[in-house]
Amino acid sequence: MFLSNCMRRGAAAVALLSLSVSGVQAESLKAALTAAYAHNPSISSALAAVKVAAENIALRKAAVLPTIGASSSISNTTTFSGGKALNQQQAQVGLAYSQTLFDNHKTDANVEQARALVQVANQTLRSTESTVLLSVVQAYMNVILNTQLVTLRTDTVQFYQSQVKAAQDRLNIGEGTKIDVAQAQASLASAVAQQKAAIAGLQTAQASYKHWVGHSPRNLSSDYNYGTLIPATVETALKLAERLNPSILAAKASIRAAQAGVDAANAEFGPNVGLTGAVGPTFSSAVPGGNPGGMAMAGTVKLSFSLPVYGGGALGAGSRQAQLNAVKSGLDADAAKAQVDETVVTAWSQLQNAAAQIAAANSGVEAGQLALNGVIQERDVGQKTTLDVLNAEATLTTAKEALIMANSTRVIAAFSLIAAMGKMSARDLGLRTPTKSAQGYESKVEDTWEDVRSLE
């Protein structure tokens, strides 16, 4: 009774899942990638981070550009003379100007560092895009894999149900044994448990798919035209990765930023020249018996020069810290290169191995099916036992599952290789969606006089 209830619940779950993954309109892998790229919040967040980093360029440039401001003030001065209180009001209106004329090229170094960090943020955006799209591929293939496993294991349950019935029928007519029935029932119970595991796996895969793509899967297919994305040799893949992988490019940009940081820290030891000025009228009220009041124009100009002599150790510490950071960035770049090389070789090996596994699994399925058919015929004439049939079915099922796994592994390994080479992007994959880039925004923030024009 318990086994019967389990089978009924399993059948209902399979029917429900089949409805959830089927639909009128199929969704290709490219369509799923396009949907994820257009709406994934992680990619949008990484794009915003690029814009945040780009603003630092304008902030660093401002250090040597003029600062102009307007000011006004009103004051009242009271003096006592001859027992009388005399009040005088003054109103001042003016413009103030300040600018660093020379800072030993510190600002130039800071601007260069800011630009390098924008490149780091850009490569982080590309890395995030690659990670998201690869996760979509994995979620997509997991749905297909688990859907196929559910179908296979449901067929296996049905096969074992027929074997239980056949064993029971032979026992009823005196041609079988209780051992045959028990063995068939045990195999059926194991198949039901594996079917439930496949259903649970499919439900998890569907939830992951919805997380990455934004909606539930419908009629998925693993067909994908890689075009020229997969190179002919692993050596070519390694060369492409060194030139295009965002982790390597981000590491190189970090080296550039660190070197600019060294230049900026060393510039702290040099001179600094600044210019300040102010101009504007002053309006004063008349004082009886004293200042007649009126308006007077006044202006001041001040040129300053400073040279650090001793900074309490901060200047030396800052320089040493910047140099250490430069050394660290070089080591990080070496580590990133080694990691990417390993990822490329691993993905390449998995791709080649998957092709061999698919060929072997296809042969195993063909041989297993022939063997099962032969064993069933021999069992029917008394030359084989029920256990032989059950073992043959188990062997065939294992071969079919290996084929399903190998097909999924092949697709995921192919896209893992594409991602490691730095070509897992909307443009390289041919996704029909606008490319997310902060290039226009970067050009805008380089315009340091935008604040003035915004007042027009």
Side-chain angles (χ1 to χ4, degrees), residues 51 54 125 134 189 218 228 235 251 295-296 314 323 337 366 368 376 447:
K51 295 179 180 180
L125 169 61
L134 183 58
R218 49 182 183 269
T228 59
E235 289 76 18
M295 183 190 77
Q323 291 171 359
K337 173 66 166 54
E366 292 178 5
I376 291 175
D447 182 3

Side-chain angles (χ1 to χ4, degrees), residues 118-409:
V118 170
Q119 291 305 309
V120 173
N122 267 311
Q123 296 307 321
T124 301
L125 169 61
R126 290 188 58 228
S127 180
T128 301
E129 175 184 349
S130 178
T131 299
V132 168
L133 295 180
L134 183 58
S135 296
V136 171
V137 171
Q138 292 169 336
Y140 191 100
M141 293 309 302
N142 281 338
V143 171
I144 292 177
L145 181 148
N146 284 282
T147 300
Q148 293 174 343
L149 286 179
V150 168
T151 301
L152 172 62
R153 292 177 181 178
T154 300
D155 291 343
T156 302
V157 167
Q158 294 173 351
F159 175 84
Y160 284 135
Q161 285 174 339
S162 67
Q163 294 306 307
V164 170
K165 183 178 183 303
Q168 187 65 53
D169 290 344
R170 286 194 300 276
L171 177 63
N172 293 338
I173 62 176
E175 294 183 359
T177 67
K178 291 183 178 180
I179 295 177
D180 291 335
V181 176
Q183 289 172 335
Q185 289 175 336
S187 296
L188 175 58
S190 176
V192 170
Q194 291 178 351
Q195 181 197 44
K196 284 192 170 186
I199 291 172
L202 179 55
Q203 290 171 334
T204 300
Q206 289 173 332
S208 178
Y209 184 96
K210 188 173 183 179
H211 165 70
W212 289 108
V213 181
H215 56 258
S216 299
R218 49 182 183 269
N219 283 2
L220 309 186
S221 170
S222 60
D223 293 338
Y224 189 87
N225 182 12
Y226 298 101
T228 59
L229 291 174
I230 304 296
T233 64
V234 67
E235 289 76 18
T236 302
L238 289 168
K239 291 178 181 178
L240 285 171
E242 184 174 5
R243 184 166 57 89
L244 301 175
N245 186 279
S247 296
I248 292 178
L249 297 181
K252 291 180 178 179
S254 294
I255 292 176
R256 175 184 160 197
Q259 186 56 56
V262 172
D263 296 339
N266 291 336
E268 293 280 5
F269 292 92
N272 191 290
V273 179
L275 177 67
T276 59
V279 63
T282 299
F283 303 91
S284 302
S285 62
V287 177
N291 191 335
M295 183 190 77
M297 289 293 297
T300 60
V301 176
K302 178 181 178 181
L303 184 67
S304 62
F305 173 88
S306 64
L307 179 67
V309 177
Y310 176 67
L315 297 181
S319 177
R320 293 191 300 272
Q321 185 183 59
Q323 291 171 359
L324 289 171
N325 191 47
V327 173
K328 178 181 180 299
S329 66
L331 296 174
D332 290 342
D334 292 340
K337 173 66 166 54
Q339 179 64 52
V340 169
D341 286 349
E342 179 185 0
T343 303
V344 169
V345 173
T346 299
W348 179 271
S349 300
Q350 289 176 342
L351 183 58
Q352 304 307 310
N353 181 59
Q357 292 298 323
I358 289 173
N362 276 320
S363 298
V365 170
E366 292 178 5
Q369 189 63 62
L370 288 174
L372 176 61
N373 293 339
V375 170
I376 291 175
Q377 291 175 358
E378 290 180 294
R379 190 274 314 274
D380 292 342
V381 295
Q383 295 180 353
K384 294 291 184 180
T385 66
T386 298
L387 181 59
D388 293 326
V389 174
L390 299 177
N391 289 338
E393 170 63 20
T395 300
L396 176 58
T397 300
T398 300
K400 288 181 177 179
E401 289 188 0
L403 179 59
I404 292 172
M405 296 287 187
N407 280 321
S408 178
T409 299

Side-chain angles (χ1 to χ4, degrees), residues 41-55 121 125 436 438 441:
S42 296
I43 297 177
S44 299
S45 175
L47 176 61
V50 177
K51 295 179 180 180
V52 170
E55 292 293 351
L125 169 61
K436 294 184 179 182
Y441 191 88

Side-chain angles (χ1 to χ4, degrees), residues 75-91:
S75 63
N76 179 79
T77 304
T78 302
T79 58
F80 294 91
S81 177
K84 294 182 179 180
L86 303 176
N87 295 318
Q88 183 181 36
Q89 290 79 36
Q90 283 189 334

